[in-house]
Amino acid sequence: MAAIIFANCAVLDGTQPQRREDHHVLVEGAHIREVSDRPIRSEGAETIDLDGRTLMPGLIDAHVHALAVDAALARLGERPLTIVAFEAAKVLEGMLARGFTTVRDAGGADGGLAEAVATGLVRGPRLFPSGLALSQTGGHGDLRPRTRSVTSCACCEYGAGLGRIADGVDECRRAARDELRKGATQLKIMASGGVASPYDPIWNLQYSEDEVRAIVEEARAWHTYVLAHAYTPEAIRRSIDFGVRSIEHANLIDRATAEHVAGADAFVVPTLVTYDALHRFGKQFGIAAESLAKLDEVRTEGLKSLEVLQSAGVRIGFGTDLLGPMHRYQAREFVIRAEAMTPYDIICSATVVNAELLNRAGELGVVAPGARADLIAVDGNPLADIGLLDGQGEHLALIMKAGEFYKRP
């Protein structure tokens, strides 16, 4: 079992609001064995002097779409699945280079892609796939043009995509079971209108109570949970009431609804950078005019939602939700959030909070004995300059996932 000592580092994770200076960390195999404020001795261990750099847990992004290799999602179905899979591998490789050692895919990726990462076929972050997101006909996951007829014929399924259509309790149960069968570690539903789907208004409520409860029941039978795309207070509240554990986006949330979410001990995963990127580059990358027209309804409310969520005591996760060439702006989420959150709170979101969301508290998101050896070393202090986590990993001297180096000092 390989052993490595990281000496002379400043440890920073979401457990303490300051760096722990002059620390030393022993990694054995895939796990952290010891964290100490004194030099560590271990026979046969390689010692790497980090010279005061900040040693952090690998970052966690709880809302990605690895298969969204084209910003115009409706075009994915026209691409061969093999090409999409190879392009998704490049997307994941870029995420790992930015210091994200774990990601939760919020629609599109299946157990096969997660296995490809786990076995080393794809160089990328540990992947928690949601499978295909479940959408009602005409919902946020229904990207068919209005000229195409509605069909439930299995032989009409084609190409890649991020979602599947399921209507009625029986269909929803079957779809949920099928995605879990294919390796989904949690399930995603569309509970309101969205930006990328051109025909459903943002305020549109999607899925009935019985349908949502059926999906939640199937997830719980697998000891997992449901996340819901939802923007408005009404969509968020009913999702929580029906058993959903994680709300995605929530740009239009109000204080009363935020308190309701906090009271249910649920999570909210804002994704502010995707609206920034769509505003700047959406037209260039082929986003439909109808979608761009809806963008301003939610974009300008993003920072305000962070303030509302914090004041209500909601557990705030870290997500990005980027599409196509815009994946490169993933780490810009840190900088955008800094307008409404402290660097420490942002780091908490991308480490310990997301680990709790993934049901991996103590295993991911911390620098502690027994945790996975997912580690990054930053040139500087992110508490003083959160921008050190932005970019393509230029300020990261070290990236390690499960004890394996992907970048060395």
Side-chain angles (χ1 to χ4, degrees), residues 41-250:
R41 302 188 185 281
S42 178
E43 186 176 351
E46 175 188 3
T47 297
I48 297 177
D49 190 338
L50 291 181
D51 195 25
R53 292 183 176 93
T54 303
L55 188 68
M56 295 177 56
L59 304 171
I60 305 172
D61 189 333
H63 194 120
V64 308
H65 294 288
L67 267 67
V69 297
D70 193 322
L73 298 179
R75 292 198 298 240
L76 284 176
E78 302 167 9
R79 313 275 300 276
L81 283 168
T82 45
I83 293 294
V84 172
F86 279 114
E87 291 180 336
K90 291 296 184 183
V91 169
L92 290 170
E93 185 175 351
M95 292 178 180
L96 184 59
R98 297 178 203 109
F100 290 91
T101 54
T102 298
V103 297
R104 183 184 68 172
D105 192 286
D110 63 4
L113 188 58
E115 184 178 347
V117 173
T119 58
L121 291 174
V122 171
R123 182 185 175 95
R126 182 180 297 101
L127 182 62
F128 288 78
S130 300
L132 296 174
L134 307 188
S135 170
Q136 68 178 41
T137 293
H140 181 53
D142 188 349
L143 300 179
R144 297 170 297 181
R146 285 174 168 172
T147 53
R148 184 173 298 163
S149 62
V150 175
T151 177
S152 58
C153 175
C155 64
C156 294
E157 294 182 2
Y158 67 102
L162 306 188
R164 64 186 289 176
I165 298 166
D167 293 306
V169 171
D170 289 345
E171 277 190 29
C172 287
R173 284 194 186 279
R174 182 175 182 273
R177 291 169 178 172
D178 191 39
E179 294 307 319
L180 291 163
R181 175 186 70 87
K182 293 186 294 186
T185 52
Q186 62 282 323
L187 296 173
K188 164 83 173 290
I189 66 169
M190 304 304 191
S192 81
V195 173
S197 46
Y199 306 123
D200 54 337
I202 295 294
W203 47 259
N204 180 228
L205 299 177
Q206 298 177 10
Y207 273 137
S208 69
E209 177 176 353
D210 288 345
E211 288 168 320
V212 176
R213 288 192 182 279
I215 296 166
V216 168
E217 183 179 355
E218 295 303 326
R220 287 176 176 168
W222 282 68
H223 291 181
T224 189
Y225 65 94
V226 174
L227 55 145
H229 163 103
Y231 282 114
T232 65
E234 188 176 5
I236 295 166
R237 180 178 287 271
R238 68 197 298 268
S239 296
I240 294 297
D241 288 344
F242 302 162
V244 167
R245 181 169 180 259
S246 175
I247 300 295
E248 311 304 298
H249 316 304

Side-chain angles (χ1 to χ4, degrees), residues 27-50:
V27 169
E28 290 185 351
H31 293 83
I32 297 170
R33 175 67 179 273
E34 184 179 353
V35 179
S36 176
D37 59 0
R38 298 180 179 181
I40 297 172
R41 302 188 185 281
S42 178
E43 186 176 351
E46 175 188 3
T47 297
I48 297 177
D49 190 338
L50 291 181

Side-chain angles (χ1 to χ4, degrees), residues 166-386:
D167 293 306
V169 171
D170 289 345
E171 277 190 29
C172 287
R173 284 194 186 279
R174 182 175 182 273
R177 291 169 178 172
D178 191 39
E179 294 307 319
L180 291 163
R181 175 186 70 87
K182 293 186 294 186
T185 52
Q186 62 282 323
L187 296 173
K188 164 83 173 290
I189 66 169
M190 304 304 191
S192 81
V195 173
S197 46
Y199 306 123
D200 54 337
I202 295 294
W203 47 259
N204 180 228
L205 299 177
Q206 298 177 10
Y207 273 137
S208 69
E209 177 176 353
D210 288 345
E211 288 168 320
V212 176
R213 288 192 182 279
I215 296 166
V216 168
E217 183 179 355
E218 295 303 326
R220 287 176 176 168
W222 282 68
H223 291 181
T224 189
Y225 65 94
V226 174
L227 55 145
H229 163 103
Y231 282 114
T232 65
E234 188 176 5
I236 295 166
R237 180 178 287 271
R238 68 197 298 268
S239 296
I240 294 297
D241 288 344
F242 302 162
V244 167
R245 181 169 180 259
S246 175
I247 300 295
E248 311 304 298
H249 316 304
N251 295 50
L252 305 179
I253 196 167
D254 58 24
R255 177 60 185 263
T257 306
E259 291 175 349
H260 190 65
V261 173
D265 204 26
F267 295 79
V268 171
V269 182
T271 58
L272 304 191
V273 69
T274 193
Y275 310 108
D276 176 73
L278 286 169
H279 176 68
R280 292 192 291 157
F281 308 112
K283 186 175 181 180
Q284 172 185 342
F285 293 131
I287 301 297
E290 297 91 341
S291 293
L292 292 176
K294 293 195 290 182
L295 179 61
D296 283 342
E297 293 183 52
V298 295
R299 182 179 67 87
T300 57
E301 299 299 310
L303 290 173
K304 186 186 300 183
S305 73
L306 292 183
E307 296 169 357
V308 170
L309 293 166
Q310 289 182 103
S311 65
V314 176
R315 291 187 287 178
I316 304 173
F318 183 100
T320 55
D321 191 32
L322 291 160
L323 310 174
M326 292 173 278
H327 277 114
R328 67 178 283 104
Y329 301 108
Q330 180 182 26
R332 182 172 165 77
E333 181 79 15
F334 288 102
V335 177
I336 293 173
R337 290 194 183 201
E339 296 184 44
M341 299 175 69
T342 68
Y344 173 69
D345 287 335
I346 301 169
I347 290 168
C348 282
S349 291
T351 55
V352 292
V353 175
N354 272 356
E356 292 170 1
L357 173 58
L358 296 174
N359 293 320
R360 295 295 190 275
E363 178 185 350
L364 304 176
V366 291
V367 181
R372 289 273 181 180
D374 292 0
L375 298 165
I376 62 173
V378 185
D379 292 327
N381 180 4
L383 292 178
D385 181 7
I386 196 68

